[in-house]
Amino acid sequence: MAVDQSVNELFRPKAQKADGQIAQMRPSLTHFQQVTRKLVRNKLAMVGLTLIVLLIAMAIIGPHLVSYSYSDQSLLNANQEISSEHWFGTDELGRDMFSRTWYGAQISLIIGISAALIDLIIGVTVGGIAGYMAGRGKKGDRIDTIIMRLIEVLYGLPYLLVVIMLMVVMEPGIVTIIIALSATGWVGMARLVRGQILQLKNQEFIMAAQVLGAKFPRILLRHLIPNTIGVIIVNLTFTIPSAIFAESFLSFLGLGVQAPIASWGTMTNDALGVILTGDWWRLFFPALMISLTMFAFNVFGDGLQDALDPRIRE
Amino acid sequence: MSRYLLKRILMMVLTLWIIVTLTFSLMHMIPGDPFASESDQLPEQILLNLRAKYNLDEPLPMQYLLYLKSLVMLDLGPSIKSETRGVNDMIKDGFGSSALIGLQAIAVALFFGLLFGTIAALNRNTWIDYAAMVLAVLGIAVPSFIMAPLLINYLAIKWPLFPVATLTSWKHSVLPSLALAFGPLAIITRYMRTSMIDVMNQNYIRTAEAKGIPTFLIVVKHGIRNAILPIVTFMGPLIAGLLTGTFVVEKIFAVPGIGKYFVDGIFNRDYPVILGTTVFYSAILVLIIFLIDLAYMFIDPRIKLSSRGR
């Protein structure tokens, strides 16, 4: 009894502040503030973000840093190695590779990022609805079945036929390429999200949300999608480079951007012909830029994924 | 369950029919026809006879019905550009080579992808993790059409370890398989790492650890089985695509596969070849997606695809 009393004496009420409130431990943060704080503290993610900003900035100002435009030909200066005159060398028509690389960055980044964003919006919505509806009564099953069969049809249709068709209907150009790429591109994202949601939706926390009376859009947006964010971000980081390469494949077949317009994809393609003659700079610079873009989006995506995951606390 | 299976098989036939119908309409909407390049050189009458031979003089709905009729008999029709060989022969001759290379590529990509992804996740933010991620970034940043010439240059010309061009022995299939495997390997590694990190943070893994189960068993029995789902989803179209050959790699390695018909058929407006390759690819795709839906339930018994269930 005596011991208890002496222990109790060690506890004293905390001195009250002048305004009568108990001192707050730390300021409460909104979800957005928490995410940005975690993201800023992640060094690798910040390296990625810096690289992305640099690449975009160079895409805008790069072509204007040299006196040559991307299409200026000078056959006397063909196939030159890198020098103080041509920082990235020249190609077989004597066009300045530095100017072409950054002009190509505009085309490739626009195509890659737009295609990825369109895939994200359509794919996540459609996949989310299909995954949530599957196994939810007769009507739910029917919605899932229709969406999934539609996805199979889109997968099965010859992609090239769709692209050529679009080229006939619309005028060739970047917008057409973006539409052609995302017309069939979103199905991968949709299948992936559906698969994840099938796995998640029978878990306890979803049941808890339903019992508490949450409606479908809230469950989908606040509970299911945040838990699939990892897979979604990984998919996005692949969509950007694969759109860049899909464009180069189309250009290879004569359906992409038309010469003399450059893109990283067409430049890598052109460089393949000279890969054995030792003109290394032709392949090196566009391939390096594609790799840097990939790297930047990957590490930034990883950081974003960690920052968005509420289970990983500081 | 049997009701569900029956329903799915009917759905597969329906899906294939829709794909055939859409492809048929799309290809006839595109300007040009199989004889466009010869129309200046050949006399009018010969062109008319040629068209009649391939039923191209019939009205479109009639052509469509004729095609469906022969499709039901599993006859994919003649190739207009190749006079002696039908589409069935083309697929019969080429599918073996394409499938061999595709299957090897899938096996390599799956095995190493799962391995690297798991190791990277378990050693998160160490040099092992970074090495695996550099590999993944390279694998995606270097597409197969750059990978293939590099492999030829180093593993066939500088160090003649493997022969290239054509497909006469198993050794010939190594380099094309590697060139194809690199991209999927990188993607699988990346997905596996992300989803493994997620799974290893779950409560049931903590429970297993608390029970004193060795780490290896936890990873194999609880970790991989739960983490593999995104990869299973991704494998469907990948397997179908690799089995039916790839245009670029088959062209570079001169593999006598079926990949080239998908592109050549469209550029030649060789209607039976376009439809035949599409039907063949779609049939494989639809079948594999069906198997994958079944695999979902097998891998994760919590998943219910049909509310009637089993």
mmCIF file of all heavy atoms in Angstrom, chain B residues 202-235:
data_model
loop_
_atom_site.group_PDB
_atom_site.id
_atom_site.type_symbol
_atom_site.label_atom_id
_atom_site.label_comp_id
_atom_site.label_asym_id
_atom_site.label_seq_id
_atom_site.Cartn_x
_atom_site.Cartn_y
_atom_site.Cartn_z
ATOM 1 N N GLN B 202 2.108 -7.654 -44.279
ATOM 2 C CA GLN B 202 0.774 -8.043 -43.812
ATOM 3 C C GLN B 202 0.843 -8.765 -42.464
ATOM 4 O O GLN B 202 1.870 -9.329 -42.094
ATOM 5 C CB GLN B 202 0.103 -8.963 -44.841
ATOM 6 C CG GLN B 202 -0.051 -8.350 -46.213
ATOM 7 C CD GLN B 202 -1.290 -7.494 -46.340
ATOM 8 O OE1 GLN B 202 -2.208 -7.634 -45.555
ATOM 9 N NE2 GLN B 202 -1.312 -6.600 -47.306
ATOM 10 N N ASN B 203 -0.300 -8.751 -41.801
ATOM 11 C CA ASN B 203 -0.345 -9.348 -40.466
ATOM 12 C C ASN B 203 -0.084 -10.853 -40.475
ATOM 13 O O ASN B 203 0.545 -11.386 -39.576
ATOM 14 C CB ASN B 203 -1.702 -9.082 -39.831
ATOM 15 C CG ASN B 203 -1.847 -7.620 -39.476
ATOM 16 O OD1 ASN B 203 -0.841 -6.941 -39.284
ATOM 17 N ND2 ASN B 203 -3.070 -7.150 -39.410
ATOM 18 N N TYR B 204 -0.599 -11.536 -41.534
ATOM 19 C CA TYR B 204 -0.428 -12.996 -41.510
ATOM 20 C C TYR B 204 1.034 -13.403 -41.628
ATOM 21 O O TYR B 204 1.422 -14.464 -41.137
ATOM 22 C CB TYR B 204 -1.294 -13.693 -42.562
ATOM 23 C CG TYR B 204 -1.174 -13.170 -43.967
ATOM 24 C CD1 TYR B 204 -0.108 -13.536 -44.779
ATOM 25 C CD2 TYR B 204 -2.147 -12.325 -44.487
ATOM 26 C CE1 TYR B 204 -0.014 -13.064 -46.074
ATOM 27 C CE2 TYR B 204 -2.065 -11.859 -45.777
ATOM 28 C CZ TYR B 204 -0.992 -12.218 -46.569
ATOM 29 O OH TYR B 204 -0.903 -11.758 -47.849
ATOM 30 N N ILE B 205 1.853 -12.536 -42.240
ATOM 31 C CA ILE B 205 3.286 -12.853 -42.293
ATOM 32 C C ILE B 205 3.883 -12.700 -40.898
ATOM 33 O O ILE B 205 4.691 -13.519 -40.448
ATOM 34 C CB ILE B 205 4.005 -11.921 -43.292
ATOM 35 C CG1 ILE B 205 3.454 -12.117 -44.696
ATOM 36 C CG2 ILE B 205 5.502 -12.130 -43.257
ATOM 37 C CD1 ILE B 205 3.804 -13.426 -45.339
ATOM 38 N N ARG B 206 3.431 -11.663 -40.175
ATOM 39 C CA ARG B 206 3.919 -11.459 -38.804
ATOM 40 C C ARG B 206 3.530 -12.657 -37.940
ATOM 41 O O ARG B 206 4.321 -13.156 -37.145
ATOM 42 C CB ARG B 206 3.345 -10.169 -38.227
ATOM 43 C CG ARG B 206 4.182 -9.618 -37.104
ATOM 44 C CD ARG B 206 3.536 -8.398 -36.480
ATOM 45 N NE ARG B 206 3.222 -7.382 -37.465
ATOM 46 C CZ ARG B 206 2.236 -6.494 -37.307
ATOM 47 N NH1 ARG B 206 1.478 -6.517 -36.226
ATOM 48 N NH2 ARG B 206 1.997 -5.602 -38.227
ATOM 49 N N THR B 207 2.283 -13.131 -38.142
ATOM 50 C CA THR B 207 1.832 -14.308 -37.393
ATOM 51 C C THR B 207 2.733 -15.502 -37.678
ATOM 52 O O THR B 207 3.163 -16.204 -36.761
ATOM 53 C CB THR B 207 0.385 -14.649 -37.778
ATOM 54 O OG1 THR B 207 -0.405 -13.481 -37.672
ATOM 55 C CG2 THR B 207 -0.164 -15.750 -36.904
ATOM 56 N N ALA B 208 3.018 -15.710 -38.954
ATOM 57 C CA ALA B 208 3.860 -16.847 -39.327
ATOM 58 C C ALA B 208 5.240 -16.709 -38.698
ATOM 59 O O ALA B 208 5.807 -17.683 -38.187
ATOM 60 C CB ALA B 208 3.978 -16.930 -40.847
ATOM 61 N N GLU B 209 5.778 -15.483 -38.694
ATOM 62 C CA GLU B 209 7.083 -15.254 -38.079
ATOM 63 C C GLU B 209 7.021 -15.555 -36.587
ATOM 64 O O GLU B 209 7.902 -16.196 -36.022
ATOM 65 C CB GLU B 209 7.531 -13.805 -38.295
ATOM 66 C CG GLU B 209 8.216 -13.588 -39.621
ATOM 67 C CD GLU B 209 8.363 -12.106 -39.950
ATOM 68 O OE1 GLU B 209 7.952 -11.256 -39.131
ATOM 69 O OE2 GLU B 209 8.877 -11.819 -41.048
ATOM 70 N N ALA B 210 5.926 -15.103 -35.959
ATOM 71 C CA ALA B 210 5.778 -15.301 -34.520
ATOM 72 C C ALA B 210 5.696 -16.778 -34.178
ATOM 73 O O ALA B 210 6.131 -17.203 -33.111
ATOM 74 C CB ALA B 210 4.539 -14.567 -34.023
ATOM 75 N N LYS B 211 5.137 -17.572 -35.095
ATOM 76 C CA LYS B 211 5.041 -19.007 -34.835
ATOM 77 C C LYS B 211 6.383 -19.697 -34.992
ATOM 78 O O LYS B 211 6.531 -20.877 -34.706
ATOM 79 C CB LYS B 211 4.049 -19.650 -35.814
ATOM 80 C CG LYS B 211 2.605 -19.353 -35.452
ATOM 81 C CD LYS B 211 1.644 -20.319 -36.126
ATOM 82 C CE LYS B 211 1.627 -20.155 -37.621
ATOM 83 N NZ LYS B 211 0.597 -20.983 -38.265
ATOM 84 N N GLY B 212 7.389 -18.957 -35.509
ATOM 85 C CA GLY B 212 8.728 -19.512 -35.637
ATOM 86 C C GLY B 212 8.960 -20.282 -36.919
ATOM 87 O O GLY B 212 9.867 -21.099 -37.013
ATOM 88 N N ILE B 213 8.128 -20.039 -37.950
ATOM 89 C CA ILE B 213 8.347 -20.709 -39.233
ATOM 90 C C ILE B 213 9.592 -20.106 -39.891
ATOM 91 O O ILE B 213 9.768 -18.889 -39.882
ATOM 92 C CB ILE B 213 7.117 -20.518 -40.138
ATOM 93 C CG1 ILE B 213 5.909 -21.149 -39.463
ATOM 94 C CG2 ILE B 213 7.337 -21.118 -41.518
ATOM 95 C CD1 ILE B 213 4.603 -20.910 -40.170
ATOM 96 N N PRO B 214 10.469 -20.976 -40.445
ATOM 97 C CA PRO B 214 11.687 -20.449 -41.065
ATOM 98 C C PRO B 214 11.366 -19.478 -42.207
ATOM 99 O O PRO B 214 10.367 -19.656 -42.913
ATOM 100 C CB PRO B 214 12.388 -21.686 -41.625
ATOM 101 C CG PRO B 214 11.708 -22.849 -41.011
ATOM 102 C CD PRO B 214 10.403 -22.424 -40.471
ATOM 103 N N THR B 215 12.216 -18.451 -42.374
ATOM 104 C CA THR B 215 11.965 -17.407 -43.364
ATOM 105 C C THR B 215 11.709 -17.986 -44.752
ATOM 106 O O THR B 215 10.814 -17.544 -45.470
ATOM 107 C CB THR B 215 13.163 -16.456 -43.432
ATOM 108 O OG1 THR B 215 13.524 -16.108 -42.103
ATOM 109 C CG2 THR B 215 12.833 -15.211 -44.217
ATOM 110 N N PHE B 216 12.490 -18.986 -45.146
ATOM 111 C CA PHE B 216 12.361 -19.543 -46.484
ATOM 112 C C PHE B 216 10.945 -20.063 -46.713
ATOM 113 O O PHE B 216 10.319 -19.786 -47.731
ATOM 114 C CB PHE B 216 13.377 -20.677 -46.671
ATOM 115 C CG PHE B 216 13.302 -21.320 -48.030
ATOM 116 C CD1 PHE B 216 13.831 -20.678 -49.147
ATOM 117 C CD2 PHE B 216 12.690 -22.554 -48.202
ATOM 118 C CE1 PHE B 216 13.745 -21.261 -50.399
ATOM 119 C CE2 PHE B 216 12.599 -23.129 -49.459
ATOM 120 C CZ PHE B 216 13.134 -22.486 -50.555
ATOM 121 N N LEU B 217 10.427 -20.791 -45.727
ATOM 122 C CA LEU B 217 9.078 -21.352 -45.865
ATOM 123 C C LEU B 217 8.026 -20.245 -45.887
ATOM 124 O O LEU B 217 7.051 -20.322 -46.627
ATOM 125 C CB LEU B 217 8.787 -22.319 -44.717
ATOM 126 C CG LEU B 217 9.343 -23.733 -44.900
ATOM 127 C CD1 LEU B 217 8.918 -24.617 -43.751
ATOM 128 C CD2 LEU B 217 8.868 -24.320 -46.228
ATOM 129 N N ILE B 218 8.229 -19.215 -45.057
ATOM 130 C CA ILE B 218 7.275 -18.098 -45.050
ATOM 131 C C ILE B 218 7.205 -17.474 -46.438
ATOM 132 O O ILE B 218 6.130 -17.247 -46.989
ATOM 133 C CB ILE B 218 7.691 -17.026 -44.018
ATOM 134 C CG1 ILE B 218 7.591 -17.586 -42.608
ATOM 135 C CG2 ILE B 218 6.816 -15.778 -44.153
ATOM 136 C CD1 ILE B 218 7.971 -16.593 -41.539
ATOM 137 N N VAL B 219 8.392 -17.242 -47.013
ATOM 138 C CA VAL B 219 8.429 -16.588 -48.321
ATOM 139 C C VAL B 219 7.769 -17.453 -49.379
ATOM 140 O O VAL B 219 6.942 -16.996 -50.175
ATOM 141 C CB VAL B 219 9.895 -16.261 -48.701
ATOM 142 C CG1 VAL B 219 9.977 -15.832 -50.150
ATOM 143 C CG2 VAL B 219 10.441 -15.186 -47.792
ATOM 144 N N VAL B 220 8.103 -18.749 -49.394
ATOM 145 C CA VAL B 220 7.593 -19.619 -50.455
ATOM 146 C C VAL B 220 6.102 -19.880 -50.277
ATOM 147 O O VAL B 220 5.312 -19.765 -51.212
ATOM 148 C CB VAL B 220 8.385 -20.935 -50.488
ATOM 149 C CG1 VAL B 220 7.736 -21.911 -51.460
ATOM 150 C CG2 VAL B 220 9.819 -20.662 -50.903
ATOM 151 N N LYS B 221 5.684 -20.229 -49.043
ATOM 152 C CA LYS B 221 4.297 -20.665 -48.855
ATOM 153 C C LYS B 221 3.325 -19.502 -48.693
ATOM 154 O O LYS B 221 2.209 -19.550 -49.192
ATOM 155 C CB LYS B 221 4.200 -21.566 -47.621
ATOM 156 C CG LYS B 221 4.791 -22.941 -47.862
ATOM 157 C CD LYS B 221 4.274 -23.905 -46.819
ATOM 158 C CE LYS B 221 4.048 -25.265 -47.419
ATOM 159 N NZ LYS B 221 3.656 -26.250 -46.395
ATOM 160 N N HIS B 222 3.722 -18.476 -47.983
ATOM 161 C CA HIS B 222 2.778 -17.372 -47.729
ATOM 162 C C HIS B 222 3.073 -16.174 -48.612
ATOM 163 O O HIS B 222 2.165 -15.547 -49.129
ATOM 164 C CB HIS B 222 2.847 -16.963 -46.259
ATOM 165 C CG HIS B 222 2.513 -18.069 -45.318
ATOM 166 N ND1 HIS B 222 1.228 -18.419 -45.009
ATOM 167 C CD2 HIS B 222 3.309 -18.934 -44.649
ATOM 168 C CE1 HIS B 222 1.238 -19.436 -44.174
ATOM 169 N NE2 HIS B 222 2.489 -19.778 -43.942
ATOM 170 N N GLY B 223 4.349 -15.854 -48.787
ATOM 171 C CA GLY B 223 4.720 -14.644 -49.521
ATOM 172 C C GLY B 223 4.422 -14.758 -51.004
ATOM 173 O O GLY B 223 3.588 -14.028 -51.543
ATOM 174 N N ILE B 224 5.084 -15.707 -51.685
ATOM 175 C CA ILE B 224 4.974 -15.781 -53.142
ATOM 176 C C ILE B 224 3.533 -16.052 -53.556
ATOM 177 O O ILE B 224 3.009 -15.434 -54.478
ATOM 178 C CB ILE B 224 5.944 -16.853 -53.690
ATOM 179 C CG1 ILE B 224 7.374 -16.371 -53.498
ATOM 180 C CG2 ILE B 224 5.656 -17.125 -55.165
ATOM 181 C CD1 ILE B 224 8.435 -17.270 -54.054
ATOM 182 N N ARG B 225 2.861 -16.941 -52.845
ATOM 183 C CA ARG B 225 1.504 -17.296 -53.259
ATOM 184 C C ARG B 225 0.572 -16.097 -53.228
ATOM 185 O O ARG B 225 -0.303 -15.956 -54.070
ATOM 186 C CB ARG B 225 0.971 -18.392 -52.336
ATOM 187 C CG ARG B 225 -0.361 -18.895 -52.793
ATOM 188 C CD ARG B 225 -0.668 -20.255 -52.244
ATOM 189 N NE ARG B 225 -2.026 -20.619 -52.592
ATOM 190 C CZ ARG B 225 -2.632 -21.666 -52.098
ATOM 191 N NH1 ARG B 225 -2.001 -22.442 -51.244
ATOM 192 N NH2 ARG B 225 -3.855 -21.939 -52.457
ATOM 193 N N ASN B 226 0.770 -15.207 -52.266
ATOM 194 C CA ASN B 226 -0.082 -14.015 -52.199
ATOM 195 C C ASN B 226 0.388 -12.919 -53.136
ATOM 196 O O ASN B 226 -0.409 -12.108 -53.600
ATOM 197 C CB ASN B 226 -0.110 -13.473 -50.775
ATOM 198 C CG ASN B 226 -1.131 -14.185 -49.922
ATOM 199 O OD1 ASN B 226 -2.318 -14.031 -50.134
ATOM 200 N ND2 ASN B 226 -0.661 -14.999 -49.011
ATOM 201 N N ALA B 227 1.691 -12.891 -53.412
ATOM 202 C CA ALA B 227 2.232 -11.769 -54.174
ATOM 203 C C ALA B 227 2.153 -11.996 -55.678
ATOM 204 O O ALA B 227 2.311 -11.071 -56.455
ATOM 205 C CB ALA B 227 3.689 -11.521 -53.771
ATOM 206 N N ILE B 228 1.892 -13.238 -56.091
ATOM 207 C CA ILE B 228 2.048 -13.583 -57.501
ATOM 208 C C ILE B 228 0.865 -13.117 -58.357
ATOM 209 O O ILE B 228 0.956 -13.095 -59.583
ATOM 210 C CB ILE B 228 2.265 -15.111 -57.630
ATOM 211 C CG1 ILE B 228 3.065 -15.434 -58.878
ATOM 212 C CG2 ILE B 228 0.953 -15.852 -57.599
ATOM 213 C CD1 ILE B 228 3.503 -16.854 -58.948
ATOM 214 N N LEU B 229 -0.211 -12.674 -57.724
ATOM 215 C CA LEU B 229 -1.435 -12.403 -58.486
ATOM 216 C C LEU B 229 -1.280 -11.381 -59.616
ATOM 217 O O LEU B 229 -1.740 -11.624 -60.732
ATOM 218 C CB LEU B 229 -2.556 -11.979 -57.540
ATOM 219 C CG LEU B 229 -3.910 -12.318 -58.114
ATOM 220 C CD1 LEU B 229 -4.208 -13.794 -58.037
ATOM 221 C CD2 LEU B 229 -4.985 -11.529 -57.420
ATOM 222 N N PRO B 230 -0.632 -10.207 -59.371
ATOM 223 C CA PRO B 230 -0.479 -9.270 -60.491
ATOM 224 C C PRO B 230 0.294 -9.884 -61.651
ATOM 225 O O PRO B 230 0.028 -9.579 -62.807
ATOM 226 C CB PRO B 230 0.317 -8.112 -59.883
ATOM 227 C CG PRO B 230 0.242 -8.270 -58.433
ATOM 228 C CD PRO B 230 -0.081 -9.684 -58.119
ATOM 229 N N ILE B 231 1.236 -10.780 -61.335
ATOM 230 C CA ILE B 231 2.030 -11.396 -62.398
ATOM 231 C C ILE B 231 1.182 -12.377 -63.194
ATOM 232 O O ILE B 231 1.277 -12.450 -64.422
ATOM 233 C CB ILE B 231 3.273 -12.053 -61.798
ATOM 234 C CG1 ILE B 231 4.195 -10.944 -61.337
ATOM 235 C CG2 ILE B 231 3.969 -12.944 -62.798
ATOM 236 C CD1 ILE B 231 5.105 -11.315 -60.263
ATOM 237 N N VAL B 232 0.312 -13.113 -62.485
ATOM 238 C CA VAL B 232 -0.591 -14.037 -63.176
ATOM 239 C C VAL B 232 -1.457 -13.265 -64.170
ATOM 240 O O VAL B 232 -1.634 -13.678 -65.319
ATOM 241 C CB VAL B 232 -1.453 -14.799 -62.155
ATOM 242 C CG1 VAL B 232 -2.508 -15.625 -62.854
ATOM 243 C CG2 VAL B 232 -0.580 -15.692 -61.304
ATOM 244 N N THR B 233 -1.967 -12.104 -63.744
ATOM 245 C CA THR B 233 -2.781 -11.282 -64.635
ATOM 246 C C THR B 233 -2.001 -10.859 -65.864
ATOM 247 O O THR B 233 -2.474 -10.939 -66.983
ATOM 248 C CB THR B 233 -3.237 -10.006 -63.906
ATOM 249 O OG1 THR B 233 -3.763 -10.371 -62.647
ATOM 250 C CG2 THR B 233 -4.277 -9.268 -64.695
ATOM 251 N N PHE B 234 -0.778 -10.438 -65.621
ATOM 252 C CA PHE B 234 0.065 -9.918 -66.690
ATOM 253 C C PHE B 234 0.480 -11.023 -67.662
ATOM 254 O O PHE B 234 0.719 -10.767 -68.843
ATOM 255 C CB PHE B 234 1.280 -9.268 -66.016
ATOM 256 C CG PHE B 234 2.424 -8.971 -66.909
ATOM 257 C CD1 PHE B 234 2.367 -7.894 -67.771
ATOM 258 C CD2 PHE B 234 3.553 -9.759 -66.900
ATOM 259 C CE1 PHE B 234 3.426 -7.616 -68.596
ATOM 260 C CE2 PHE B 234 4.617 -9.487 -67.717
ATOM 261 C CZ PHE B 234 4.549 -8.410 -68.578
ATOM 262 N N MET B 235 0.550 -12.277 -67.173
ATOM 263 C CA MET B 235 1.044 -13.377 -68.007
ATOM 264 C C MET B 235 0.115 -13.733 -69.161
ATOM 265 O O MET B 235 0.572 -14.231 -70.180
ATOM 266 C CB MET B 235 1.258 -14.641 -67.154
ATOM 267 C CG MET B 235 2.414 -14.597 -66.182
ATOM 268 S SD MET B 235 3.964 -14.155 -66.942
ATOM 269 C CE MET B 235 4.414 -15.701 -67.720
#
